């Protein structure tokens, strides 16, 4: 589909770093988010949340809260007949019915004239809990006899995996018999692992641990709900997929989908955390109960305590190689802690562990384990940073042990197009080799010995790199392109722009149609008017919606040329678009303006059909995308503090539609990756209560912690991507944890396997090693 | 945040009166960087908040009686960071002010708020201990002075009665042969809370240590002095070996807990490292 467009001249479109049009409004505070909407009669919602991670609700008394002046509704599960005990997803568990399964779970909801009144009402609700034993640790929780998390008979939820559409051919088994909290199991096997280990010369075993981390979008979850008298619900939502929100809310509230209109508002970040419905159903219920518009905006504390973070991942990894570097066997057990509701992308973990480098013999077991913690969701390349941390750390250690160049060692075993993944699907065209090769050419890598030797004042210096990636998601989508009466173009999709994708789509439309970008306007429509489309997730917006827009624009172009052909009495094949006119090739003064074609499509009594290009493709071919990162660091061995001196990101983007936007993604992803590497962790006590529910103690990196992040774009065209483009959003969050762990070992000789690579872990490891 | 009544006194007298009349759970508001998060998270639900921003006296830094410094309780961390008089003779206090939050936080955060909030990790407390500061307190019964080491009575607890407020801190001048230093450890460079903080102050006479002060933050319910380490230094010529010994002794003054910011083991480790480093810097500054 990487078609070359035939135009007389280069249009201003693909390949240019055009600033996104919403930028100035965002940085000057003009953009309206959900929290800025103030319809007449607006009420404010607040939720009473459980202080206990596991408890029976004995009694709830809301009478005092209802009596508070300014309170318009106080609801418990008993007031919402559609709620069912066996909630299959977090969205269905609108309010706890008779048992809470994580600290922060909503048990009652209030709508009031002011937020402060709603909060005071929460204080007046009496809940009597009977505290139950807690499953706080996944390794304990997966044992038989652990306190049960889900209601018996609840199905595992694999829709997240499907939403990300990344891995085919892995059989995930749902539920085992005795261990009540194991909600999914998967196994990938090839060859004879025992024999291969017996023939190995170097066997390395490690347990890697990555804690739950929060996506950290700037705008918390927020929604405004309003019903009309005919029983139609409108939701103004901060979501990564308005159609998905619509489906989930319809399912939870048992409403027909066409009765719900989701208006996707400007989304202040999602990173996977705003894929699933969370506070939309309860806000809709409150709006109906009060017959007023109701807005709910989560606080930061609620986000951290009761958002939908990434799972904790524990990977026991054993590898065997020959002395000459031949890979022999890999054995792994990956445990994904999903919190109170199932939903982890278990198969991704297995495939990344065993397929990135080619192990002839492997046995990978995956377990999704439930605990009494908030349930998880996707986070930018879900589970890839965690699994790559394990496998890349392992590859580095093997190379060091064998005394071989770590890049050559990786390149020797790295998958190539056509190689068999662990799920027996072939690897598709990708730039893994090109990315790693380019990174290894960087002077920071070549001069790593000099960097190490330059350490002074008791500090230590090191360099580390890592390669990671993402398989790329797919989902059907649609787009329309209209020609306006003045010759401008109108592009419509339902795709939420969470990453600056609309400017890339406009560039694609401009190039495919054959006009300059300034002639194109792109609109994100609501669920009543836009073509059905998927989530803005899985690094697939440009890759899939870009194709729809490209085809719709080509379609509109063809319609335009056909109308012009009649007008000019010429063959379509002899026509081209030049500026704002369609002209006969070689006869530049024989032409007709786009405006006149557009006008005729909208004239009273006109027989010219209006130009309306449309496309609604489905897809079957993914485009894996790889990212390599390199860190040059200094370590204070006494305090364990790591100073990042330089950071390099190399990424294969297929074709850079808008290089500046892509560099922004590469840098933003790198920052999140570094946060996971160095400081971030949701920390729970043994009662599964969060001990760091603020951004002071849940440490995202700040600008003061970060070095210049150098970005290098590699372009290996994706055969099916629009103009060869691949997804770019997710790959850059993957490599930093391993790159930093490798750099720390280079600097200090200490190998760390638990994230975050905190000063405490580093300093105490150095102290106990010396 | 719950609704509350806001009182804006225009003078110290008005403030004392307002405090006397207000309900016992009322809160004083300085920069609000501790108080507001506590209100927002529902940890405190006072019916009345008394805003100190209308009392100019609380924001002044003046030369004290004799030759010390009087720092108003509402002086901001940013002012301490930049003020020449503070930097000249009380550098550890300026250094601690410079570490608080971010520039935005420092422009709001006050010395008095930091001390009265009485978090074990309060950064500006150890320098005050190391400088032998006194808290000047006023209330309906008049003014009283309390040595800063006796000001803290527990986690978030001080000697202040509900109807009292902190007016200023009186800090004696440590003299020209004295040097101080404050260091803390945080996993993040900015916007973080001390895992451990250490202030050291060394005063020299005739090539020996005449007076040593070492104060530790975040290793006990209140900021503490490492007196055994101080005694080991006093009267001695301060050598790297002696500094090392003092740092080891300082660890004994620490009674750390393990929490989300760090384990007790790591905190003890940090006391040793940071005491060594602050003493080394204090010594160099005292000699300079
Ligand atoms: C993002 C962030 C970062 C922070 N970083 C740090 C840090 O690095 N180091 C650190 O130590 N702290 C830090 N803090 C905590 C806080 O900023 C400091 O403790 C600050 O000095 C508090 O001063 P304030 O004026 O804001 O106090 P307020 O919040 O106004 O008051 C704090 C408490 O003191 C009481 N109080 C205030 N003034 C008086 C008075 N004159 N008499 C009696 N009682 C009084 C108040 O009633 C309240 O209980 C941080 C806070 C935030 C939000």
């Amino acid at each position: 589909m990487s078609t070359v467009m035939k135009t007389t001249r280069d249009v201003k479109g693909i390949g240019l770093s055009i600033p996104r049009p919403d930028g100035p409004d965002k940085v000057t505070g003009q953009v309206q988010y959900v929290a800025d909407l103030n319809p007449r009669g607006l009420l404010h919602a607040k939720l009473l949340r459980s202080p206990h991670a596991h408890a029976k609700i004995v009694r709830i008394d809301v009478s005092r809260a209802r009596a508070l002046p300014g309170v318009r509704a106080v609801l418990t599960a008993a007031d919402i007949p559609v709620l069912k005990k066996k909630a299959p997803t977090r969205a269905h568990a609108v309010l706890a019915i008779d048992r809470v399964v994580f600290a922060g779970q909503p048990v009652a909801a209030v709508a009031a004239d002011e937020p402060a009144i709603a909060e005071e009402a929460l204080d007046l609700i009496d809940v009597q809990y009977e505290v139950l034993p807690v499953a706080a640790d996944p390794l304990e929780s997966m044992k038989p006899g652990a306190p049960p998390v889900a209601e018996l008979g609840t199905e595992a939820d694999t829709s997240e995996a499907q939403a990300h559409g990344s891995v085919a051919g892995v059989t995930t088994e749902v539920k085992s018999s005795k261990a009540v909290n194991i909600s999914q199991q998967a196994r990938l096997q090839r060859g004879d692992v025992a024999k291969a280990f017996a023939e190995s010369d170097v066997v390395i075993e490690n347990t890697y641990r990555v804690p739950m981390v929060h996506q950290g979008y700037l705008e918390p979850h927020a929604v405004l709900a309003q019903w009309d008298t005919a029983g139609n619900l409108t939701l103004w939502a901060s979501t990564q997929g308005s159609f998905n929100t619509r489906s989930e809310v319809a399912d939870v509230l048992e409403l027909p989908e066409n009765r719900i209109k989701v208006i996707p508002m400007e989304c202040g970040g999602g990173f996977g955390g705003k894929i699933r419905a969370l506070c939309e159903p309860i806000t809709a219920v409150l709006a109906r109960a009060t017959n007023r518009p109701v807005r709910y905006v989560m606080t930061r504390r609620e986000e951290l305590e009761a958002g939908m973070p990434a799972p904790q991942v524990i990977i026991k990894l054993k590898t065997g190689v020959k002395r000459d570097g031949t890979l022999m066997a890999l054995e792994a057990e990956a445990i994904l802690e999903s919190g109170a509701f199932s939903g982890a992308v278990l198969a991704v973990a297995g495939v990344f562990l065993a397929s990135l480098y080619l192990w002839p013999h492997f046995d990978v077991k995956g377990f999704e384990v439930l605990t009494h913690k908030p349930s998880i969701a996707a986070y930018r390349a879900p589970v890839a940073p965690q699994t790559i941390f394990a496998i890349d750390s392992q590859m580095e250690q093997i190379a060091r042990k064998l005394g071989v160049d770590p890049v050559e060692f990786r390149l020797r075993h790295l998958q190539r197009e056509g190689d068999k993944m662990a799920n027996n699907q072939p690897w598709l065209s990708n730039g893994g080799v090109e990315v790693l090769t380019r990174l290894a050419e960087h002077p920071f890598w070549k001069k790593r010995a000099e960097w190490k030797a330059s350490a002074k004042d008791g500090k230590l210096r090191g360099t580390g790199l890592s390669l990671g990636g993402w398989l790329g998601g797919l989902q059907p989508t649609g787009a329309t392109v209209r020609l306006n009466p003045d010759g401008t173009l109108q592009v419509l999709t339902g795709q939420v722009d969470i990453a600056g994708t609309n400017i890339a789509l406009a560039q694609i439309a401009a190039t495919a149609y054959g006009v300059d970008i300034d002639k194109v306007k792109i609109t994100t429509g609501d669920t009543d008017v836009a073509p059905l489309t998927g989530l803005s997730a899985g690094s697939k917006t440009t890759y899939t919606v870009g194709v729809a827009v490209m085809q719709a624009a080509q379609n509109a172009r063809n319609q335009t040329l056909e109308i012009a052909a009649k007008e000019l009495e010429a063959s379509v094949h002899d026509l081209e678009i030049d500026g704002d006119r369609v002209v006969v090739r070689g006869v530049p003064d024989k032409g007709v303006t786009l405006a006149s074609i557009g006008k005729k499509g909208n004239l009273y009594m006109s027989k010219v059909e209006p130009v309306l290009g449309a496309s609604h493709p489905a897809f079957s071919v993914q485009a894996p995308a790889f990212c390599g990162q390199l860190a040059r660091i200094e370590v204070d061995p006494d305090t364990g503090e790591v100073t990042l001196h330089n950071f390099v990101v190399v990424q294969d983007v297929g074709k850079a539609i808008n290089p500046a936007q892509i560099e922004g993604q590469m840098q933003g992803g790198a920052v999140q990756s570094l946060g996971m590497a160095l400081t971030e962790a949701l920390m729970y006590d043994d009662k599964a209560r969060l001990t760091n529910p603020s951004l002071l103690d849940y440490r995202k990196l700040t600008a003061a912690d970060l070095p210049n992040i150098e970005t290098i774009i590699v372009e290996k065209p994706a055969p099916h991507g629009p103009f060869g483009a691949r997804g770019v959003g997710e790959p850059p969050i993957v490599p930093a944890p391993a790159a930093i762990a490798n750099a720390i070992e280079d600097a200090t000789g200490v190998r760390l396997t638990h994230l975050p690579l905190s000063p405490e872990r580093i300093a105490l490891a150095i102290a106990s090693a010396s | 945040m719950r609704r509350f009544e806001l009182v804006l006194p225009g003078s110290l007298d008005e403030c004392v009166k307002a405090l006397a009349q207000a309900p016992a759970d009322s809160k004083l508001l300085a920069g609000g960087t501790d108080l507001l998060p506590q209100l927002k998270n529902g940890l405190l639900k006072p019916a009345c908040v008394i805003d100190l921003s209308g009392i100019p006296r609380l924001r002044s830094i003046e030369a004290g009686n004799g030759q010390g410094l009087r720092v108003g309780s509402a002086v901001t961390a940013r002012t301490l960071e930049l003020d020449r008089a503070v930097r000249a003779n009380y550098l550890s206090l300026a250094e601690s002010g410079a570490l608080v939050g971010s520039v935005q936080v420092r422009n709001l955060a006050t010395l008095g708020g930091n001390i009265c909030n009485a978090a074990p990790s309060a950064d500006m407390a150890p320098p005050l201990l190391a400088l032998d500061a006194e808290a000047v307190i006023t209330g309906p019964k008049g003014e009283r002075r309390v040595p800063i080491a006796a000001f803290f009575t527990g986690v978030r607890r001080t000697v202040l009665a509900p109807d009292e407020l902190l007016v200023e801190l009186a800090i004696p001048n440590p003299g020209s042969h004295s040097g101080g230093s404050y260091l803390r450890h945080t996993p993040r460079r900015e916007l973080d809370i001390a895992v451990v903080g250490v202030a050291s102050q060394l005063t020299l006479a005739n090539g020996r240590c005449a007076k040593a002060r070492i104060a530790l933050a975040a290793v006990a319910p209140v900021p503490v002095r490492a007196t055994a380490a101080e005694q080991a230094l006093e009267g001695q010529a301060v050598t790297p070996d002696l500094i090392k010994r003092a740092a080891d002794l300082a660890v004994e003054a620490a009674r750390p807990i393990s929490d989300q910011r760090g384990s007790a083991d790591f905190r003890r480790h940090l006391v040793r490292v940071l005491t060594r480093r602050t003493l080394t810097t204090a010594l160099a500054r005292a000699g300079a």
Side-chain angles (χ1 to χ4, degrees):
Chain A
M1 258 176 258
S2 52
T3 334
V4 180
M5 292 295 130
K6 282 194 218 105
T7 46
T8 17
R9 59 193 188 100
D10 274 349
V11 299
K12 265 172 43 208
I14 299 300
L16 296 179
S17 287
I18 300 165
R20 45 198 283 193
D22 52 330
D25 274 0
K26 282 197 168 144
V27 297
T28 56
Q30 307 292 305
V31 163
Q32 294 268 299
Y33 294 93
V34 174
D36 299 315
L37 300 175
N38 269 310
R40 250 188 30 198
L42 178 68
L43 298 179
H44 303 269
K46 291 277 173 189
L47 300 181
L48 182 70
R49 296 173 178 277
S50 167
H52 309 292
H54 192 202
K56 219 173 107 182
I57 299 173
V58 181
R59 198 179 54 90
I60 307 183
D61 180 359
V62 299
S63 54
R64 287 197 305 146
R66 282 200 176 125
L68 184 71
V71 170
R72 305 292 165 175
V74 183
L75 303 179
T76 68
D79 303 308
I80 313 172
V82 291
L83 298 192
K84 286 168 205 68
K85 256 187 91 172
K86 287 177 193 164
T89 73
R90 177 84 169 272
H92 290 81
V94 177
L95 293 176
I97 296 179
D98 54 5
R99 193 167 67 106
V100 291
V101 287
F102 66 93
Q105 186 175 357
V107 295
V110 173
D113 293 350
E114 289 174 31
I117 298 175
E119 277 185 37
E120 283 167 39
L122 297 185
D123 291 348
L124 300 175
I125 300 172
D126 277 326
V127 187
Q128 202 185 321
Y129 294 100
E130 183 187 316
V131 176
L132 299 170
V134 169
D137 176 71
L139 298 179
E140 293 299 318
S141 189
M142 67 192 290
K143 291 178 185 163
V149 179
E151 293 293 336
L152 268 138
T154 309
E155 298 265 296
D157 179 16
T158 53
S159 57
E160 190 80 47
Q162 283 153 19
H164 272 266
S166 302
V167 174
V170 182
T171 42
T172 38
E173 216 177 276
V174 170
K175 269 229 146 67
S176 80
S177 50
K178 273 181 259 128
V180 290
N181 294 327
I182 296 179
S183 44
Q184 292 182 60
Q185 289 189 45
R187 191 157 186 185
L188 292 163
Q189 277 173 292
R190 189 179 293 160
D192 185 342
V193 171
K195 184 159 164 278
F197 273 121
E199 291 164 8
S200 298
D201 300 315
V202 177
V203 175
I204 299 181
E205 253 186 287
N206 276 307
T207 299
Y208 298 89
R209 261 188 119 120
V210 184
M212 282 187 172
V213 288
H214 192 275
Q215 299 87 348
Y217 30 78
L218 282 178
E219 183 207 17
H221 276 89
V223 66
L224 191 152
Q226 185 163 24
W227 297 77
D228 67 13
T229 43
N232 297 304
L233 169 65
T234 302
L235 293 169
W236 288 260
S238 175
T239 172
Q240 289 179 243
S242 42
F243 288 96
N244 191 66
T245 301
R246 188 178 72 163
S247 296
E248 283 197 72
V249 173
D251 190 39
V252 172
L253 301 181
E254 297 181 357
L255 289 168
E257 295 204 18
N258 64 4
R259 289 269 165 169
I260 303 174
K261 172 159 85 174
V262 176
I263 301 176
M265 295 294 291
E266 201 64 59
C267 181
F271 307 109
K274 292 181 186 163
I275 288 176
R276 310 300 298 266
L278 186 63
C279 49
E280 294 80 2
I282 187 61
T283 311
V285 172
L286 284 168
R288 184 148 62 182
T290 56
N291 228 343
R292 297 265 290 266
V294 175
R295 191 175 68 205
Y296 181 62
V297 182
M298 275 171 76
T299 64
R300 186 65 63 184
R301 192 188 176 97
E302 287 179 306
E303 274 291 352
L304 291 166
E305 276 180 344
M308 302 176 101
Q312 173 170 212
V313 179
I314 302 168
I315 297 170
K316 293 179 202 162
L317 186 57
K318 180 178 166 188
T319 52
V321 300
K322 288 269 201 206
R323 201 161 290 116
D324 67 1
T326 308
L327 300 191
M328 295 298 289
L330 175 145
E331 194 173 71
E333 192 177 290
I335 294 156
L336 277 62
E337 183 194 6
S338 283
F341 294 90
S342 165
V345 289
L346 195 55
V348 175
V351 165
F352 270 121
L353 282 173
S355 317
L356 192 50
Y357 301 97
L358 297 170
W359 298 89
H361 308 271
F362 58 80
D363 185 358
V364 180
K365 291 180 200 145
F367 300 91
E368 180 189 53
V369 179
L370 303 186
T371 55
H372 291 111
K373 292 186 192 160
S375 63
I376 56 97
Y379 178 17
R380 208 170 182 166
V383 182
Q386 295 88 341
T387 40
I388 297 294
F389 170 56
I391 191 66
D392 194 90
S393 294
Q394 197 85 357
M395 292 299 282
E396 178 83 13
Q397 289 167 79
I398 297 168
R400 279 178 180 272
K401 205 147 211 179
L402 296 174
V404 298
D405 181 275
V407 169
E408 276 168 31
F409 180 64
R410 283 182 182 82
L411 281 173
R412 178 176 160 196
H413 301 295
L414 185 63
Q415 56 74 27
R416 306 286 199 279
E417 180 178 357
D419 285 333
K420 245 193 328 178
M421 298 201 289
N423 58 349
N424 293 325
Q425 305 283 312
W427 271 102
L428 298 167
S429 153
N430 68 81
V433 170
E434 288 82 349
V435 165
L436 187 54
T437 306
R438 180 72 188 78
L439 190 57
E441 285 164 4
H442 198 285
F444 291 156
W445 182 248
K446 296 208 155 134
K447 298 208 169 114
R448 58 193 189 280
E450 287 93 319
W451 175 251
K452 198 171 153 81
S454 71
K456 51 182 191 298
D457 301 332
K459 305 277 169 52
L460 302 168
R461 290 181 163 181
T463 307
L465 57 66
S466 167
L467 176 75
W470 183 245
L471 300 174
L474 300 173
Q475 200 169 6
T477 183
T480 62
V481 175
R482 289 177 305 177
L483 179 64
N484 288 326
D486 66 352
T488 58
L489 291 186
Q490 202 85 32
V491 182
L492 176 69
T493 78
Q495 199 72 24
V496 178
D497 179 5
I498 56 164
T501 43
N502 270 355
I503 185 66
L505 295 178
Q507 287 171 271
I508 288 170
T511 306
Y513 187 89
V515 292
D516 283 351
I517 177 80
D518 51 10
K519 289 276 188 300
V520 180
K521 167 141 190 256
I522 180 154
T523 302
T524 307
D526 63 53
T527 56
D528 271 7
V529 301
L532 202 67
T533 191
L535 297 162
S536 293
S539 299
K540 66 181 174 52
T541 297
T542 304
Y543 186 69
T544 60
V545 188
V547 168
V549 167
M550 183 180 80
Q551 291 175 347
Q554 284 165 349
N555 185 218
R557 174 188 166 94
N558 292 342
Q559 293 174 30
T560 307
L561 295 186
E562 269 164 33
I563 295 166
K566 276 191 200 141
E567 198 100 339
L568 297 169
E569 297 180 339
S571 158
V572 172
H573 306 287
D574 294 331
L575 298 182
E576 59 193 12
I577 295 176
D578 183 9
D580 53 7
R581 294 187 337 137
V582 182
V583 295
V584 180
R585 197 175 293 118
V587 196
D589 32 320
K590 197 168 176 207
V592 50
T593 64
L594 294 173
S596 74
I597 296 172
K599 206 164 282 147
K600 284 190 182 125
N602 195 33
L603 267 189
Y604 192 61
M605 300 296 278
S606 170
K607 294 195 174 59
V608 175
E609 289 170 2
V611 171
L612 175 63
S615 168
H616 43 94
F619 305 87
S620 53
V621 184
Q622 294 166 261
F626 279 86
C627 179
Q629 295 177 346
L630 175 147
R632 220 182 203 199
I633 65 165
E634 183 172 270
V635 180
D636 180 331
D638 290 335
T639 62
E641 287 162 22
V642 171
T643 304
L644 297 167
H645 277 262
N646 302 91
F647 200 75
V648 184
V649 183
V650 180
Q651 189 171 328
D652 170 27
V653 307
K655 166 75 193 170
I657 307 274
N658 186 323
Q661 298 302 323
I662 290 171
E663 283 162 6
Q665 289 295 312
M666 291 164 73
Q667 294 185 325
V671 171
Q672 289 181 316
S673 196
L674 285 165
M676 262 171 121
L678 290 165
T679 49
E680 289 183 43
L682 290 166
M683 291 183 267
Y684 295 88
D685 65 14
D686 58 2
K687 297 275 185 291
R689 288 172 308 207
L690 187 67
T691 60
N692 59 336
S694 85
L695 289 183
L696 208 48
D697 281 318
Y698 182 85
R699 299 183 187 87
K700 291 264 171 200
L701 295 178
T702 77
D705 302 300
L706 294 162
N708 179 47
I709 296 172
E710 183 184 340
T711 52
I712 299 170
I713 289 175
V714 169
E715 291 183 318
K716 178 162 185 184
H720 295 258
F723 301 93
R726 294 175 193 275
V728 301
E730 285 166 307
I733 201 179
V734 179
I740 298 290
N742 294 339
I744 289 171
E745 181 171 14
D746 188 44
T748 67
V750 165
R751 169 57 58 175
L752 295 171
T753 57
H754 292 191
L755 297 187
L757 304 163
S758 62
E760 167 158 3
R761 290 205 164 108
I762 296 167
L764 295 185
I766 292 172
S768 71
S770 60
Chain B
M1 201 188 295
R2 314 301 189 269
R3 292 171 291 184
F4 53 79
E5 188 192 342
L6 184 67
V7 182
L8 273 154
S11 69
L12 208 50
D13 285 349
E14 271 180 50
C15 182
V16 172
K17 279 195 200 110
L19 258 181
Q21 285 160 13
D25 72 342
S26 299
K27 292 305 292 182
L28 293 168
L29 172 73
T33 57
D34 275 318
L35 188 65
L36 263 88
Q38 291 162 9
L39 296 182
K40 279 189 185 167
N41 289 324
L43 301 175
L44 293 174
K45 297 168 187 173
C48 171
V49 170
I50 301 169
D51 182 350
L52 300 175
S53 64
I55 311 170
R57 166 151 180 218
L58 300 182
R59 284 199 304 276
S60 67
I61 299 181
E62 284 166 35
N65 302 334
Q67 37 154 309
L69 208 61
R70 285 164 43 198
V71 183
S73 66
V75 167
T76 64
R78 184 70 172 158
T79 303
L80 292 176
E81 173 185 358
L82 301 174
D83 187 89
R84 277 184 187 207
V86 178
R87 293 196 72 86
N89 290 313
Y90 314 87
L91 191 50
S92 62
L93 184 59
E95 286 177 329
S96 71
L99 287 170
V100 172
S102 59
V103 175
Q104 294 94 323
V105 172
R106 290 200 285 283
N107 278 326
L108 288 169
T110 65
L111 179 61
N114 194 236
I115 300 309
C116 296
N117 187 60
S121 56
D123 278 313
M124 294 183 274
L128 291 177
L129 260 75
L131 288 162
D132 290 327
E134 270 189 331
V136 180
I137 296 167
T138 194
K141 286 180 227 127
E143 201 175 280
R144 63 183 178 120
R145 293 166 87 94
V146 175
I148 192 70
F151 183 78
F152 305 98
T153 55
V155 178
R156 299 197 180 285
R157 292 203 344 251
T158 68
V159 296
L160 287 174
D163 57 1
E164 286 183 319
L165 79 147
L166 176 69
V167 180
E168 63 192 20
L169 289 135
I171 314 173
N173 191 333
S176 54
H177 297 291
S178 188
S181 163
Y182 178 72
L183 288 176
R184 68 169 190 184
H185 168 74
T186 55
R188 201 159 55 173
R189 220 152 268 258
E190 264 204 352
L191 279 171
D192 211 340
I193 299 298
V195 179
V196 167
V198 179
S200 292
Q201 187 80 28
L202 288 178
T203 307
L204 303 180
N206 307 320
R208 287 176 182 272
C209 170
K211 183 171 163 186
R213 289 286 180 272
I214 300 166
L216 317 176
V219 293
V222 298
V224 290
R225 291 230 331 247
T227 41
E230 293 171 359
Q231 280 157 18
L233 290 159
E234 284 176 359
Q236 307 295 315
V238 183
T239 61
D241 272 351
L242 185 57
I243 287 179
K244 245 179 150 173
R245 233 186 73 217
D248 289 341
L249 287 169
V251 177
E252 289 168 22
R255 283 170 286 134
I257 56 163
S258 295
D259 65 9
Q260 79 279 5
R261 294 190 183 131
S263 69
D265 276 350
F266 187 44
R267 286 195 156 109
R268 276 188 284 267
H269 173 85
L270 286 171
V271 168
R272 183 175 289 115
V273 172
L274 298 181
T275 304
R276 181 160 40 80
R277 289 183 181 181
T278 51
L279 282 173
T280 306
T281 304
L283 178 65
R285 287 175 178 169

